[in-house]
Amino acid sequence: MNQYLKQSVTVLKGIGEETAESLAEMKIYTVEDLLEYFPYRYEDYRLRELSEVKHDEKITIEGKVHSEPSLTYYGRKKSKLMIRMFVGQYLIKVVFFNQPYLKSKIVMNETITVTGKWDAHRQTITANEMQVGQNTKTTDFEPVYSLKGKITTKGMRKFISIAFQQFGQYIEESLPLTLVKKYRLVDRNSALKAMHFPVNQEDVKQARRRLVYEEFLLFQLKMQALRKFEREHSPGIEQNYLETKVEKFIQSLPFPLTNAQSRVVSEILNDLKSPLRMNRLLQGDVGSGKTVVAAIGLYASVTAGYQGALMVPTEILAEQHAESLKGLLEPFGLRCELLTSSVKGKRRREILQQVSEGTVDILIGTHALIQDEVTFKKLGFVITDEQHRFGVEQRRVLREKGENPDVLFMTATPIPRTLAITVFGEMDVSVIDEMPAGRKAIETYWAKPEMLGRVLSFVEKELVKGHQAYVICPLIEESDKLDVQNAIDVHTTLTHHFQNRFKVGLMHGRLSSDEKDTVMKAFSTNEVQVLVSTTVVEVGVNVPNATMMVIYDAERFGLSQLHQLRGRVGRGSDQSYCILLADPKSEVGQERMRIMAETNDGFVLSEKDLELRGPGDFFGKKQSGVPEFKLADMVHDYRTLETARNDASLMIQSKTFWTRKEYQYLRNQLENTGVLEGEKLD
Ligand code: ADP
Ligand code: MG
């Protein structure tokens, strides 16, 4: 936007320092911010027939007062005012809370108009507004803003109206005419106006449609410009791996690769060979066989004369990966070493030494890998597992380690497409969407907590067959301490229950890594048959003999996390089971349990999860890099998102985007974000 709109809100008549301060609390600093501060909903004042109105819906309705108002006080300063009212032939009740002054305005047999929420069961409107006489509102819709400080709804509407009067003429069209025409969008000025002063619902709809597209388009332009510039400004290594050796390695695996694995392997090998730097996300459901794919890539890089690194979020996972990579790669003469914070003293110094000399080919570990003390002789390929746990910033730090190594991010959390292109929009994406043949689907059941007895006998049946079981304990978001206590309690109960028959182990985040190690070893060697644990076993853990997973308080987990947990079983050739102990009160909670029981497809679950929980919660943690949009909603507006993405991609690739005047506005937006400042990217 232009300079006029970038001025402080204090240039508006009637906005002084004090008001400006309140507006600042709402992150409104400039005229432009004010114009783009959209209502979060609209009050609907259309008159409707009672028969059209659903339970709990908001209505505005005229009627004739049919009883004297009765006013009762309760508590301190709380009151309830009740009348009966005739609406057509219906007699309904109208209740006003804490507006005792209305009593004097209500007169028997007079017409009044009330606005409120319709309770169809009680035939009652809980009203928040009343007007004597017929409805005289001139607009059907009034915007409702989320407000802070001393700002009132009325005030807000006035400020925005003044902003339009003083500066409306400076609102420019942001989109090229071709796009406005192509999608039949309303122009920017009208769209902004309609958001704040709509005449009817259709106005809002059209305004929103346009602004959502614009918001997504700008976002995607930034992402794709970033991607283009990262590519062009960060040359990678042309890794000339030895094709015959890599081929031989693949042939030597105990199984043929699935089609999906083969496809992804060739995408990765192409990236390695290319002189551009690899920046790729690999998604594959739990058990889809990502480790082998990683091993092939790492092996290829080593045959090209480079070292590789594999970074994972937990020590347990690091150990397991180290073990499987050693198993796969050492027979081919590669040296793989593990580096975590528990590798100390002389051993640590040795490993660091050998990594810097280049005698270690593959280094596997936790965050420790990207600390300064670790120097590689010739780092060519970095792989991270469960990358969504690392933030955008860490992704960048990692890419900057070594001399432009190729980077592959792996995740077992299938990421819904919309999130993948927003959160990871600057990357190339590979997907393993096929399971190795012969896997048995895990059977999942939802049981109420009072069925615990029966659940435990089911567990016992599996144990008697010589199998093992995981029992995952309640997740209490606020407190790690409470999580641990829960696990301890369940452990005590189960130890007692399986007394003299089976051994029950306990695993939680407060154990030292030595203790964790001991517990995990005891479970993987079947010295312990039941493992009670908090969610620390979530990722990577591999005990094929475990066929039973019981999850307490399953309603507290997101679908994706439940799916991850469930993925701990079903790793061997035997039928596995997952039991969700849950008593969700909400519709959504129950729906989640049903979906879990119905499908084993991680992608289906992730889409559902996104729908039910929203993008912010999807990754379970804040600062996950999920962008915040003013108006757009990634879930509901995903079609627009895809359209915008395609358009952005075409624009960024075309020459005209960088030269033509009609793209000026969009180009300016990119400049303001620093995306186009090449220095920042190097
Ligand atoms: P992920 O890391 O994707 O969860 P893994 O790489 O641990 O999955 O693979 C899970 C199991 O499947 C491992 O035991 C692995 O050896 C096996 N596996 C991988 N690829 C195949 C394949 N193409 N055919 C059969 N088994 C496979
Ligand atoms: Mg390369």
Side-chain angles (χ1 to χ4, degrees), residues 236-239 270-278 380 404 406:
I237 312 166
E238 198 175 319
Q239 302 199 37
N270 277 340
D271 280 2
L272 286 176
K273 195 161 240 168
S274 145
L276 298 175
R277 180 157 65 176
M278 178 194 314
N404 303 327
D406 285 314

Side-chain angles (χ1 to χ4, degrees), residues 628-665:
E628 272 183 34
F629 294 107
K630 274 186 180 163
L631 210 54
D633 176 328
M634 275 189 274
V635 181
H636 294 107
D637 302 318
Y638 76 94
R639 281 211 186 86
T640 311
L641 175 60
E642 303 235 322
T643 308
R645 181 175 189 249
N646 291 338
D647 292 340
S649 162
L650 290 174
M651 276 184 214
I652 293 287
Q653 283 161 33
S654 77
K655 285 221 173 60
T656 50
F657 177 75
W658 305 100
T659 51
R660 280 214 196 136
K661 189 160 186 315
E662 56 174 345
Y663 295 109
Q664 180 72 45
Y665 183 100

Side-chain angles (χ1 to χ4, degrees), residues 414-630:
I415 301 167
R417 210 180 130 63
T418 47
L419 273 187
I421 65 182
T422 46
V423 182
F424 299 98
E426 88 280 15
M427 293 193 227
D428 295 314
V429 178
S430 292
V431 183
I432 305 183
D433 50 5
E434 182 186 355
M435 285 290 178
R439 272 303 148 71
K440 285 205 176 75
I442 300 163
E443 284 178 24
T444 301
Y445 302 99
W446 166 26
K448 295 271 172 77
E450 55 266 28
M451 290 156 72
L452 181 62
R454 281 171 61 193
V455 170
L456 290 180
S457 8
F458 188 15
V459 172
E460 184 146 359
K461 261 193 204 155
E462 281 300 299
L463 297 177
V464 167
K465 284 189 217 161
H467 293 150
Q468 290 164 276
Y470 291 98
V471 176
I472 304 296
C473 283
L475 173 83
I476 293 162
E477 300 269 357
E478 311 86 57
S479 161
D480 182 34
K481 225 181 191 164
L482 288 177
D483 283 0
V484 170
Q485 190 51 49
N486 270 315
I488 292 171
D489 292 346
V490 172
H491 177 254
T492 310
T493 315
L494 294 188
T495 304
H496 182 74
H497 182 88
F498 291 121
Q499 211 171 12
N500 305 328
R501 303 200 298 285
F502 302 104
K503 276 235 177 76
V504 184
L506 174 64
M507 173 77 134
H508 57 69
R510 293 281 166 109
L511 298 180
S512 72
S513 59
D514 274 355
E515 290 168 318
K516 278 185 203 159
D517 206 38
T518 313
V519 177
M520 252 353 272
K521 285 226 169 82
F523 189 61
S524 59
T525 54
N526 202 1
E527 279 161 60
V528 160
Q529 288 76 46
V530 180
L531 184 64
V532 174
S533 176
T534 57
T535 51
V536 291
V537 292
E538 188 186 333
V539 276
V541 176
N542 193 19
V543 180
N545 189 46
T547 54
M548 176 63 74
M549 164 70 56
V550 179
I551 305 174
Y552 275 70
D553 287 0
E555 75 268 24
R556 296 192 193 226
F557 297 90
L559 288 176
S560 294
Q561 203 182 5
L562 287 173
H563 183 61
Q564 287 286 309
L565 289 167
R566 178 167 65 181
R568 298 309 103 216
V569 297
R571 309 201 130 222
S573 49
D574 296 299
Q575 179 61 53
S576 288
Y577 306 92
C578 173
I579 297 174
L580 309 167
L581 277 173
D583 192 9
K585 297 283 176 276
S586 71
E587 228 357 272
V588 170
Q590 294 171 13
E591 169 85 358
R592 294 219 310 244
M593 295 306 115
R594 278 194 291 270
I595 296 167
M596 278 305 294
E598 265 166 31
T599 182
N600 270 306
D601 185 327
F603 278 95
V604 171
L605 288 169
S606 79
E607 295 286 351
K608 269 286 171 199
D609 213 11
L610 179 62
E611 212 174 280
L612 296 176
R613 288 201 300 171
D617 287 335
F618 181 79
F619 292 115
K621 274 181 194 154
K622 297 230 163 74
Q623 288 157 338
S624 52
V626 178
E628 272 183 34
F629 294 107
K630 274 186 180 163

Side-chain angles (χ1 to χ4, degrees), residues 128 140 160 255 323 341 375 383 398 482 513-514 520 570 576:
N128 45 15
D140 287 344
I160 293 174
F255 40 73
E323 226 162 89
S341 52
T375 51
I383 303 182
L398 191 63
L482 288 177
S513 59
D514 274 355
M520 252 353 272
S576 288

Side-chain angles (χ1 to χ4, degrees), residues 217-233 425-426 645 648-649 651-653 657-658 666-667 669-671 673-678 681:
L217 183 70
L218 271 170
F219 176 74
Q220 283 296 328
L221 280 172
K222 283 174 200 167
M223 281 293 222
Q224 307 221 12
L226 184 67
R227 181 165 159 191
K228 178 177 155 76
F229 280 79
E230 286 228 346
R231 277 172 162 243
E232 290 172 3
H233 291 254
E426 88 280 15
R645 181 175 189 249
S649 162
M651 276 184 214
I652 293 287
Q653 283 161 33
F657 177 75
W658 305 100
L666 295 175
R667 277 202 303 274
Q669 295 293 313
L670 293 186
E671 267 154 25
T673 61
V675 169
L676 298 193
E677 295 161 32
L681 299 164

Side-chain angles (χ1 to χ4, degrees), residues 186-204:
V186 291
D187 67 82
R188 190 160 209 281
N189 194 333
S190 317
L192 289 178
K193 209 172 256 165
M195 287 303 290
H196 296 292
F197 307 103
V199 176
N200 55 42
Q201 203 164 24
E202 186 60 20
D203 265 11
V204 177

